[in-house]
Amino acid sequence: MTTDILTTEELLHETSDAVAKEESLKGGASLTPDLLRRMNAYWRAANYVSVGQIYLYDNPLLKEPLTLEHVKPLVVSHWGTTPGQNFIYVHLNRIIKKYDLNMFYIAGPGHGGPAIVGNVYLEGTWSEVYPNVTQDEAGLKKLFKQFSFPGGISSHVAPTTPGSIHEGGELGYSLSHAFGAAFDNPDLIVACVIGDGEAETASLATSWQSNKFLDPRTDGAVLPILHLNGYKISNPTVLARIEHGELEQFLRGCGWSPYFVEGDDPKEMHELMAATIDKAIEDIHRFQDNARDNNDTTRPRWPMIVLKSPKGWTGPKVVDGLQIEGTFRAHQVPLLVDPQHPDHVKLLEAWMKSYKAEELFDENGKLIAELAELAPKGDRRMGANTHANGGILLRDLEMPDFHDHAVTVNSPGAVEVEDTLVLGSFLRDVAKLNQDKRNFRVFGPDETVSNLLQAVFEVTNRQWDAREYSNDEFLAPEGRVLDSMLSENQCEGWLEGYLLTGRHGLFNSYEAFIRIIDSMFSQHAKWLKVCRELPWRRDISSLNYLLASHVWQQDHNGFTHQDPGFLDHVINKKADIVRCYLPADANCLLSVFDHCLRSRNYVNVVVAGKHALPQWLTMDQAVVHCTEGAGIWQWASNDQESEPDVVMACCGDTPTLEILVAVSILREHLPDLKIRVVNVVDLMKLQPSTEHPHGLTELAYDSLFTKDKHIIFGFHGYPWLIHRLTYARTNRNLHVRGYKEEGTITTPFDMRVQNDLDRFHLVMDVVDRLPNLGSKGDYLKQQMQDKLIEHKHYIDAHGQDMPEIRNWKWSAAK
């Protein structure tokens, strides 16, 4: 069964119950006086280390009077969120030890890098990963100096931070990452700290709904901690300025049971936070035990915590007559310490000395033993949790033989097939073979069936933990497909979290709407780039995109659904990270996707169509062609015994069709014309080998495209992308036809006509480039112009393409 939506009366009743629970938590006794003292001291140590990272170049323990020479010449960081995150970290350490939890930490406000770096250092993980940063005064000096400093580490939580799977440079999808990590990890709890500024982003606002997709029997849990400190860079935050009851009802309306921890007195806050986290963990265990012992699929109201503390807590209260603590002025660097503000050196020294480092570190600069023992041990430390270095846990997929799904092609173009429908049966077998491993999922924003991948539902379901109706399809509390939420941001975040914690998956989307996650892709690509430079970061499974319902198959939806620009965006990233494939038919698609699912540490973008199109290659031919990435299609060419007069090149399923039809027209009407047909599957082959590892050498490129013959190139996307990839090549006679922002609701062929990618325009292109064709070329060009007029009249009258367009078959080889 599934949980029903609460009525207004029930919601109000639950709210009053929560207030009573909150009052009872305030009297909790989770902490003994000694434990409270030591936890507060640990918090002071974390705050001290955080301030040291932000400001200090030298003199890490303030053993001598602080001077301007001890301060970094350029201080760049974010203090406002840091003390609150330090507070959370020390409390999570306690709860991990108390319950022996498998837990790691996601810092949504990841610009608070000093907090996470500092805590990972205090628990000992940083020194294990980076042995040169030792647990002593010299190590503290290196830790402080490296932070936000040339040759060091960034001011954000980053791949360089052990225990992190979430880059702090862009806010919004910490909670999606957390749920992605929790899927299929039944023993894992992900503590996800959410900044109240971050909570205003579209992706975070959507991700509160992730709790409708978590199976308490087979998945782990996520503990969101909304850090309500009131301000962004220079503005208040929305959630901090609405009434308590309104915030609580909002969170309850999203399906959560919120517990509030509010105040600024450290002793009271420690006691309340400890009691609250105890209650949250007990709730999680109770829900999971019930679900697993009784096979109860009722959706729980998972606990979450709202921590309301001052921004810049424990930092400078007033500087130069302006209030700092508890205001937006604490967001970044609360105290300018530079030659223009020499008097601030003493303020910084007083601030740092307020933490009493002499009580926290021994004479050698090592955290004293009674504090160090508060941290968990081994891989129970959040910085050492293996899930946050997912390649450690990664296991190969058990792969079916893609040859078993081959389309029989007796002759080129003789059969038409929906390419993604064929791929769907292959993905079904991938899902089936890995059901027990629980390490493969398909993600998408309600487009799995639309993209013709519905065969996966023969062996699995859509994971869905909300209400079900009798006419729903493929919904169940557990399934390998997560596509029941119409949010590209959510699906991307889930998949990234799933991959970063050592599993496999793919994202299927309409091509135009993948653009919604442009910046999320960018952040993941940057993450992979940095991880490649860190020997301790293990390889993870590649991020695989399947872009179907593409620009040339959106004639029914119109202009808004026509955008192939994701390819342009992707190739801006590092060459050793990105791969772009445009298979011409189903057998090529199978070969490409088998490769992508086996790969590591890449972003693979595969563009494929779902409408029936001619199939060109046998499976054996497809494997060879896809391995090469680009090659001459000899069966379509007639220049084997001489130099070609023209090269007809294509990349993408629809351009391949139109180029081949144009070739058949040319060979019929101009039989003496020597034509070479080149098909490109791997887009990056067009770049020089010096720019991309897949790129062709100059010799190899010229052997395909010649040094000086005209190249008529039919391309799936924007034409200038091909010019950009080939700008350094010898042959400058390149003429690309592709999408040029012309489109509407029309026929499939008319979409190509509007963008000059149709067979008739392509034939005219050849004639225009080869004046030696003489009158034969002139007459052929006139025929093509006549055909374009005939086409326009026909579709206006009949609403579909001419029969000769719809029923065309390859015949030039006869």
Side-chain angles (χ1 to χ4, degrees):
M1 61 177 292
T2 53
T3 302
D4 288 339
I5 298 172
L6 292 177
T7 65
T8 302
E9 292 76 12
E10 290 170 327
L11 182 60
L12 292 173
H13 179 69
E14 284 209 1
T15 301
S16 63
D17 283 350
V19 172
K21 289 178 182 177
E22 205 173 307
E23 291 300 319
S24 69
L25 288 174
K26 291 179 180 177
S30 292
L31 301 180
T32 65
D34 180 64
L35 182 55
L36 188 153
R37 175 189 64 81
R38 288 188 294 135
M39 288 180 65
N40 189 63
Y42 197 103
W43 181 43
R44 284 160 41 207
N47 287 336
Y48 181 87
V49 168
S50 296
V51 179
Q53 290 177 81
I54 294 172
Y55 285 97
L56 294 190
Y57 179 80
D58 201 354
N59 192 17
L61 291 172
L62 302 183
K63 289 185 175 179
E64 56 185 276
L66 191 67
T67 67
L68 195 58
E69 286 68 32
H70 298 144
V71 179
K72 295 174 183 177
L74 179 63
V75 176
V76 179
S77 189
H78 294 78
W79 165 249
T81 180
T82 294
Q85 292 204 62
N86 285 333
F87 181 83
I88 293 167
Y89 207 101
V90 69
H91 279 271
L92 294 176
N93 279 343
R94 180 192 71 85
I95 208 74
I96 290 170
K97 292 192 69 174
K98 179 176 180 177
Y99 292 97
D100 189 28
L101 299 180
N102 182 5
M103 173 183 280
F104 74 90
Y105 185 109
I106 289 181
H111 49 274
I116 312 308
V117 172
N119 276 285
V120 173
Y121 174 78
L122 291 176
E123 72 185 21
T125 305
W126 193 279
S127 298
E128 293 174 8
V129 174
Y130 304 104
N132 62 312
V133 183
T134 48
Q135 294 283 313
D136 54 22
E137 184 175 359
L140 278 174
K141 179 179 176 179
K142 289 180 180 179
L143 184 79
F144 291 179
K145 178 184 174 182
Q146 71 176 2
F147 184 83
S148 194
F149 198 81
I153 63 173
S154 72
S155 65
H156 300 150
V157 178
T160 52
T161 310
S164 173
I165 67 166
H166 181 79
E167 163 62 51
E170 184 177 5
L171 304 178
Y173 32 97
S174 57
L175 196 54
S176 296
H177 277 171
F179 274 88
F183 292 134
D184 297 321
N185 271 326
D187 298 325
L188 180 66
I189 299 177
V190 185
C192 181
V193 180
I194 300 158
D196 49 354
E198 178 191 18
E200 297 173 8
T201 64
S203 48
L204 198 288
T206 298
S207 60
W208 291 117
Q209 308 302 329
S210 297
N211 54 16
K212 317 307 188 292
F213 301 88
L214 198 71
D215 185 349
R217 300 169 305 167
T218 58
D219 297 326
V222 175
L223 178 61
I225 303 173
L226 175 59
H227 188 199
L228 210 66
N229 62 26
Y231 294 91
K232 303 183 283 284
I233 296 174
S234 60
N235 272 291
T237 56
V238 173
L239 296 184
R241 294 295 179 94
I242 63 177
E243 297 302 318
H244 183 289
E246 185 179 355
L247 174 60
E248 183 172 352
Q249 288 188 23
F250 167 73
L251 296 171
R252 288 190 171 280
C254 292
W256 297 93
S257 290
Y259 296 111
F260 289 78
V261 178
E262 303 174 297
D264 59 7
D265 178 82
K267 179 178 182 298
E268 293 180 1
M269 290 289 279
H270 279 302
E271 291 175 338
L272 181 56
M273 186 67 165
T276 301
I277 290 186
D278 276 347
K279 180 66 173 68
I281 297 302
E282 289 165 3
D283 285 352
I284 289 171
H285 285 166
R286 176 166 50 85
F287 293 145
Q288 291 178 335
D289 289 347
N290 175 63
R292 295 168 189 181
D293 293 345
N294 302 310
N295 197 32
D296 187 350
T297 60
T298 301
R299 174 166 59 90
R301 283 192 168 273
W302 296 99
M304 64 166 293
I305 296 170
V306 180
L307 172 65
K308 187 173 184 179
S309 63
K311 197 170 189 76
W313 197 12
T314 77
K317 290 183 168 44
V318 177
V319 176
D320 297 336
L322 295 174
Q323 184 179 345
I324 304 298
E325 186 186 64
T327 76
F328 67 88
R329 298 184 185 93
H331 181 77
Q332 294 176 324
V333 178
L335 184 65
L336 293 176
V337 184
D338 55 28
Q340 288 73 44
H341 302 83
D343 53 327
H344 288 181
V345 174
K346 292 299 182 184
L347 295 179
L348 174 60
E349 185 175 41
W351 174 18
M352 295 193 70
K353 285 190 171 182
S354 72
Y355 298 119
K356 300 181 180 179
E358 67 278 5
E359 299 176 1
L360 311 173
F361 301 92
D362 65 22
E363 61 182 11
N364 296 317
K366 185 176 183 179
L367 189 68
I368 62 175
E370 71 166 356
L371 301 185
E373 69 181 16
L374 292 177
K377 305 302 178 187
D379 61 9
R380 283 297 193 247
R381 294 170 297 176
M382 289 188 285
N385 191 292
T386 53
H387 292 281
N389 190 4
I392 294 173
L393 304 174
L394 183 63
R395 300 294 179 266
D396 290 343
L397 285 173
E398 187 173 347
M399 295 290 288
D401 186 347
F402 65 92
H403 292 78
D404 294 342
H405 301 272
V407 175
T408 300
V409 179
N410 293 319
S411 64
V415 61
E416 292 192 352
V417 165
E418 297 98 336
D419 293 355
T420 56
L421 186 67
V422 176
L423 180 65
S425 65
F426 171 70
L427 295 176
R428 174 202 62 207
D429 290 356
V430 176
K432 182 177 181 180
L433 288 172
N434 294 278
Q435 287 273 35
D436 293 339
K437 292 184 177 180
R438 305 187 61 80
N439 66 343
F440 174 75
R441 285 182 181 262
V442 176
F443 298 80
D446 189 29
E447 290 162 1
T448 303
V449 170
S450 180
N451 288 331
L452 301 190
L453 305 180
Q454 62 266 28
V456 296
F457 295 119
E458 296 171 16
V459 297
T460 189
N461 291 297
R462 295 177 165 121
Q463 185 150 319
W464 173 265
D465 203 23
R467 189 179 299 180
E468 296 176 33
Y469 293 140
S470 59
N471 59 350
D472 292 332
E473 283 191 329
F474 314 129
L475 299 183
E478 192 281 327
R480 298 288 89 201
V481 179
L482 281 160
D483 78 336
S484 298
M485 194 163 186
L486 190 58
S487 170
E488 285 80 2
N489 300 95
Q490 180 87 306
C491 294
E492 174 76 11
W494 283 346
L495 175 55
E496 288 179 6
Y498 199 67
L499 299 177
L500 288 161
T501 48
R503 282 75 65 77
H504 307 260
L506 68 99
F507 185 153
N508 80 98
S509 173
Y510 283 16
E511 181 183 46
F513 300 137
I514 200 67
R515 302 304 307 272
I516 292 169
I517 56 88
D518 274 7
S519 64
M520 295 182 73
F521 149 76
S522 292
Q523 293 296 326
H524 189 76
K526 289 174 184 290
W527 179 278
L528 293 177
K529 186 264 184 189
V530 176
C531 285
R532 281 180 172 270
E533 301 164 3
L534 300 171
W536 60 271
R537 281 279 185 187
R538 302 288 185 86
D539 289 351
I540 63 170
S541 183
S542 296
L543 172 55
N544 299 308
Y545 294 102
L546 173 65
L547 307 186
S549 301
H550 60 57
V551 59
W552 303 111
Q553 298 179 355
Q554 284 294 345
D555 44 274
H556 59 299
N557 279 321
F559 197 39
T560 58
H561 286 54
Q562 298 159 2
D563 185 349
F566 191 62
L567 292 172
D568 300 66
H569 179 56
V570 166
I571 68 162
N572 290 323
K573 301 308 171 191
K574 296 296 291 186
D576 56 355
I577 299 297
V578 296
R579 305 286 184 267
C580 298
Y581 301 99
L582 293 95
D585 64 7
N587 286 337
C588 289
L589 177 60
L590 287 169
S591 178
V592 164
F593 231 92
D594 178 80
H595 166 76
C596 291
L597 289 178
R598 296 175 188 271
S599 67
R600 301 286 186 269
N601 271 25
Y602 297 136
V603 176
N604 296 310
V605 180
V606 182
V607 183
K610 66 179 184 180
H611 292 177
L613 287 175
Q615 303 297 299
W616 309 110
L617 304 182
T618 68
M619 181 53 79
D620 288 343
Q621 291 171 332
V623 170
V624 172
H625 182 52
C626 293
T627 302
E628 293 173 340
I632 299 171
W633 279 6
Q634 297 187 29
W635 53 268
S637 306
N638 66 347
D639 68 325
Q640 287 87 346
E641 297 180 1
S642 64
E643 283 290 305
D645 296 308
V646 66
V647 176
M648 302 292 282
C650 44
C651 182
D653 53 14
T654 301
T656 297
L657 169 61
E658 291 303 314
I659 283 287
L660 287 172
V661 183
V663 168
S664 70
I665 294 171
L666 288 165
R667 290 180 60 177
E668 177 184 354
H669 291 273
L670 302 170
D672 294 331
L673 185 68
K674 298 304 179 184
I675 303 171
R676 175 177 296 179
V677 177
V678 176
N679 181 265
V680 178
V681 178
D682 181 349
L683 186 60
M684 311 319 291
K685 285 289 180 180
L686 298 178
Q687 277 195 296
S689 57
T690 54
E691 298 294 324
H692 194 284
H694 284 199
L696 293 170
T697 65
E698 292 302 314
L699 183 63
Y701 182 90
D702 291 343
S703 72
L704 291 179
F705 295 98
T706 76
K707 290 184 177 182
D708 57 1
K709 304 302 181 184
H710 286 285
I711 305 166
I712 308 299
F713 201 124
F715 178 52
H716 172 88
Y718 292 108
W720 40 88
L721 179 55
I722 300 300
H723 287 289
R724 179 180 168 190
L725 293 172
T726 60
Y727 79 95
R729 297 298 189 178
T730 301
N731 192 340
R732 312 306 297 164
N733 295 314
L734 177 64
H735 318 286
V736 186
R737 297 291 174 260
Y739 184 66
K740 57 179 187 179
E741 287 294 320
E742 293 292 341
T744 183
I745 294 177
T746 184
T747 69
F749 183 69
D750 193 53
M751 267 293 298
R752 305 164 208 167
V753 171
Q754 290 188 33
N755 290 276
D756 299 340
L757 182 60
D758 63 282
R759 58 203 68 179
F760 304 134
H761 277 103
L762 292 170
V763 169
M764 289 191 290
D765 267 352
V766 173
V767 173
D768 288 343
R769 306 296 172 185
L770 301 176
N772 60 329
L773 293 175
S775 61
K776 287 185 177 181
D778 297 336
Y779 277 92
L780 179 58
K781 183 175 180 179
Q782 181 67 58
Q783 289 181 49
M784 298 299 99
Q785 291 170 335
D786 294 346
K787 279 294 183 184
L788 287 170
I789 294 171
E790 181 184 351
H791 152 76
K792 184 68 169 72
H793 289 164
Y794 189 92
I795 65 170
D796 287 350
H798 300 283
Q800 64 178 341
D801 289 319
M802 295 186 295
E804 68 183 81
I805 302 295
R806 290 182 278 120
N807 302 323
W808 177 87
K809 298 292 183 183
W810 170 256
S811 61
K814 293 180 180 179

